[in-house]
Amino acid sequence: MPGEAGSIFLKEEKVGPVELATISFGQRFEITPMQMLTVVSTIANNGKKFTPRIVKATIDSKTGEKKDIEIKQGEQVISETTAKKVLSMMESVVSEGTGRNAGVKGYSIGGKTGTSEDGVNTNKYVTSFVGVADISDPEVVIIIILYNPIGEGGHQGGAVAAPIAAQVLRRGASIFRN
């Protein structure tokens, strides 16, 4: 998106065994929400790069002319086999893991919860849930991010962000299915 920040990764020569391990579960790097949505959309698109759009169409208020926003797809960036395996793992996160609170009855959802510290020794957190629906035929990718949530549920992604995703998906289920 215009003006979007770039990602922050360690230089390859600075990645040792500990950094490689922590990178594998989402620490030691920073990406934007749109970059995360692009990654998950690509996985949902069988590994073929897919750039999500925020606006489906624009309508000229004077003429009523509707202009659809183009869907951007790119090259195969991960194998279809790997994409299907990751989707299956994401589905298990919602069916039996930390993302259970994102479940919607009658709807097959996959996701990943996230909880990270907002800086060093700040006692503030960033909580998230990113999901795909419906797993068998993905149409929707959603991301919920809460900065320094307080109150019931604490600051864990599965306890705070996942239920919000379920509310959004529950309300949109009839739209997504049609």
Side-chain angles (χ1 to χ4, degrees), residues 8-168:
I8 300 172
F9 281 87
L10 289 173
K11 292 185 181 196
E12 189 174 353
E13 59 271 10
K14 292 191 175 200
V15 176
V18 171
E19 291 80 14
L20 188 59
T22 57
I23 287 170
S24 74
F25 59 80
Q27 291 186 354
R28 304 262 179 147
F29 66 89
E30 296 177 22
I31 61 174
T32 68
M34 283 305 295
Q35 290 167 336
M36 177 61 81
L37 285 174
T38 300
V39 168
V40 175
S41 295
T42 298
I43 292 166
N45 196 36
N46 292 317
K48 194 171 192 177
K49 185 167 183 194
F50 187 97
T51 304
R53 58 186 179 179
I54 295 176
V55 177
K56 183 177 180 178
T58 59
I59 300 173
D60 186 306
S61 62
K62 292 180 183 167
T63 66
E65 179 185 354
K66 181 180 176 184
K67 181 180 177 185
D68 288 329
I69 305 299
E70 178 187 358
I71 295 173
K72 296 179 183 174
Q73 293 193 57
E75 62 192 55
Q76 193 79 32
V77 293
I78 61 172
S79 73
E80 189 171 331
T81 302
T82 299
K84 287 184 185 303
K85 285 179 183 178
V86 172
L87 271 181
S88 175
M89 288 184 269
M90 291 175 73
E91 184 176 25
S92 70
V93 166
V94 175
S95 65
E96 56 194 74
T98 57
R100 281 188 294 263
N101 289 327
V104 175
K105 188 174 182 169
Y107 207 43
S108 177
I109 298 168
K112 176 69 180 92
T113 61
T115 306
S116 63
E117 295 172 299
D118 184 16
V120 178
N121 299 320
T122 64
N123 291 323
K124 293 182 180 179
Y125 295 88
V126 179
T127 297
S128 64
F129 177 85
V130 62
V132 177
D134 190 273
I135 287 292
S136 61
D137 185 21
E139 293 286 328
V140 176
V141 175
I142 185 172
I143 191 166
I144 305 293
I145 302 170
L146 303 170
Y147 294 95
N148 201 31
I150 55 173
E152 267 188 63
H155 58 264
Q156 301 297 317
V160 182
I164 296 169
Q167 288 177 7
V168 172

